[in-house]
């Protein structure tokens, strides 16, 4: 997991930095396709060949950050306050050895040192590393399950809203339906995709032609499958803000690539 997080973060940052550089120099489809590299890195748990110049190797050679991380991991979480730990340690000592003399002698000083040592031990809880090892995996899996359920519920809610959609006769290889429950046209369905348009789009023949060309390009690019890939990445890496950022950027590039494909099929004179 550590290797995947580090390398995927570097990939996402690099792809985000390349977007303004590539824009206008390469086709939008190429820019969109580059996000496949990050998706493969996130979803396929392969180990790359070791290299002296790899990011992981350079990080391993950075002794100071490693020492700081190790020191933080060995920090103990207090289980109780110092006062309550001291009182408990004092009671335990007096039950075993009797009251501590207060004459300031060596025996009294040694007794207080034993109580102090015991109080520190009572306060010392598990380390951050131990807590991480114990709870990180259940928390990660629980978050992934919740995200997957949330995506499922969102899609089921959309399907329920589209039940009242009516079929439309259109020159299109995919079934076309009209629904007033949508804010904008969309391609919906994984195994049997359909195009849903709004009444406003249906009322204007030119607009309908553009909408159908756009949604058909989504279908030809298999963007309904890539949407599942994005959902899988977000479900597994729900805790990583870089993955959410990459999903948003890749969706923007998806729309740009789709617009470019639609214009190529319609003709440059149809550009709006």
């Amino acid at each position: 997991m550590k290797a995947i997080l580090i390398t995927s973060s570097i990939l996402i940052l690099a792809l985000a930095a390349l977007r303004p550089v590539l824009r206008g120099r390469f086709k939008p489809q190429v820019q969109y396709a580059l996000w496949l590299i990050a998706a493969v890195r996130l979803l396929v748990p392969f180990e790359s060949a070791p290299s002296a110049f790899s990011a992981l190797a350079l990080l391993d050679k950075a002794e100071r950050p490693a020492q700081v991380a190790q020191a933080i991991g060995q920090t103990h979480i207090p289980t109780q306050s110092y006062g309550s730990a001291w009182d408990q340690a004092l009671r335990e000592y007096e039950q075993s050895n009797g009251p501590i003399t207060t004459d300031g002698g060596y025996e009294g000083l040694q007794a207080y040192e034993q109580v102090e040592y015991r109080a520190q031990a009572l306060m010392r809880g598990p380390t951050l590393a131990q807590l991480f090892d114990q709870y990180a995996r259940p928390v990660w899996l629980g978050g992934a399950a919740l995200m997957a359920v949330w995506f499922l519920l969102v899609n089921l809610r959309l399907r329920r809203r589209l039940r009242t959609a009516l079929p439309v006769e259109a020159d299109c290889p995919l079934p076309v339906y009209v629904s007033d429950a949508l804010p904008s046209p969309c391609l919906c369905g994984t195994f049997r995709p359909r195009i849903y348009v709004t009444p406003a789009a249906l009322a204007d023949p030119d607009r309908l032609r553009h909408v159908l060309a756009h949604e058909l390009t989504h279908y030809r690019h298999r963007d309904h499958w890539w949407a599942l890939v994005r959902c899988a990445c977000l479900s597994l890496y729900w805790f990583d803000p870089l993955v959410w950022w990459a999903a948003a950027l890749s969706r923007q590039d998806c729309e740009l690539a789709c617009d470019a494909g639609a214009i190529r099929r319609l003709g440059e004179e149809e550009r709006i």
Side-chain angles (χ1 to χ4, degrees):
M1 177 66 78
K2 173 186 172 183
I4 294 177
L5 288 175
I6 293 175
T7 54
S8 63
S9 297
I10 295 173
L11 273 173
I12 291 170
L13 292 173
L15 290 173
L18 283 173
R19 289 176 81 243
V21 178
L22 297 178
R23 188 173 296 124
R25 293 179 172 85
F26 292 89
K27 292 182 179 180
Q29 292 88 338
V30 175
Q31 183 171 318
Y32 178 42
L34 289 176
W35 290 108
L36 177 62
I37 303 173
V40 170
R41 173 70 277 200
L42 289 168
L43 297 178
V44 181
F46 65 87
E47 293 294 336
S48 58
S51 171
F53 300 100
S54 67
L56 293 177
L58 293 176
L59 287 174
D60 289 338
K61 291 179 180 179
E63 297 182 1
R64 184 59 181 172
Q67 292 173 355
V68 172
Q70 185 176 7
I72 294 175
Q74 295 304 316
T75 302
H76 289 270
I77 304 298
T79 57
Q80 56 182 314
S81 66
Y82 175 78
S84 61
W86 172 268
D87 293 339
Q88 181 180 346
L90 182 61
R91 288 194 301 270
E92 291 178 359
Y93 181 87
E94 291 180 341
Q95 288 174 0
S96 302
N97 304 284
I100 300 177
T101 59
T102 58
D103 56 3
Y106 175 75
E107 292 184 358
L109 180 61
Q110 189 177 33
Y112 278 115
E113 288 180 351
Q114 293 181 18
V115 173
E116 173 69 19
Y117 181 80
R118 176 59 179 162
Q120 294 292 340
L122 290 172
M123 289 178 58
R124 188 178 301 141
T127 64
L128 290 175
Q130 291 171 339
L131 289 176
F132 182 82
D133 291 339
Q134 183 176 359
Y135 295 108
R137 187 178 184 85
V139 170
W140 169 56
L141 291 176
L146 287 176
M147 284 302 306
V149 170
W150 184 78
F151 282 125
L152 178 62
L153 292 177
V154 167
N155 282 275
L156 290 177
R157 181 185 178 188
L158 176 62
R159 292 293 185 89
R160 186 171 65 251
R161 292 170 60 185
L162 294 177
R163 285 180 180 175
T164 58
L166 301 175
V168 174
E169 292 293 334
D171 184 15
C172 182
L174 291 179
V176 180
Y177 290 79
V178 60
S179 173
D180 57 1
L182 291 174
S184 62
C186 68
L187 177 71
C188 186
T190 302
F191 299 102
R192 292 191 303 170
R194 300 175 179 180
I195 296 176
Y196 292 86
V197 300
T198 61
L202 186 63
D204 186 342
D206 288 336
R207 185 176 180 182
L208 179 63
R209 182 162 50 86
H210 295 156
V211 165
L212 294 180
H214 181 89
E215 300 305 331
L216 276 175
T217 305
H218 273 310
Y219 172 70
R220 293 189 178 101
H221 289 176
R222 298 296 184 262
D223 289 332
H224 52 303
W225 286 102
W226 291 119
L228 287 179
V229 173
R230 278 195 296 270
C231 289
C233 292
L234 291 174
S235 296
L236 291 175
Y237 299 93
W238 54 269
F239 56 88
D240 191 342
L242 284 179
V243 176
W244 287 88
W245 187 37
L249 294 180
S250 67
R251 184 165 182 175
Q252 292 177 11
D253 290 342
C254 169
E255 292 300 327
L256 292 174
C258 184
D259 286 340
I263 292 172
R264 187 174 64 252
R265 289 180 173 84
L266 290 172
E268 188 66 27
E269 67 277 1
E270 298 282 348
R271 179 185 292 271
I272 297 180

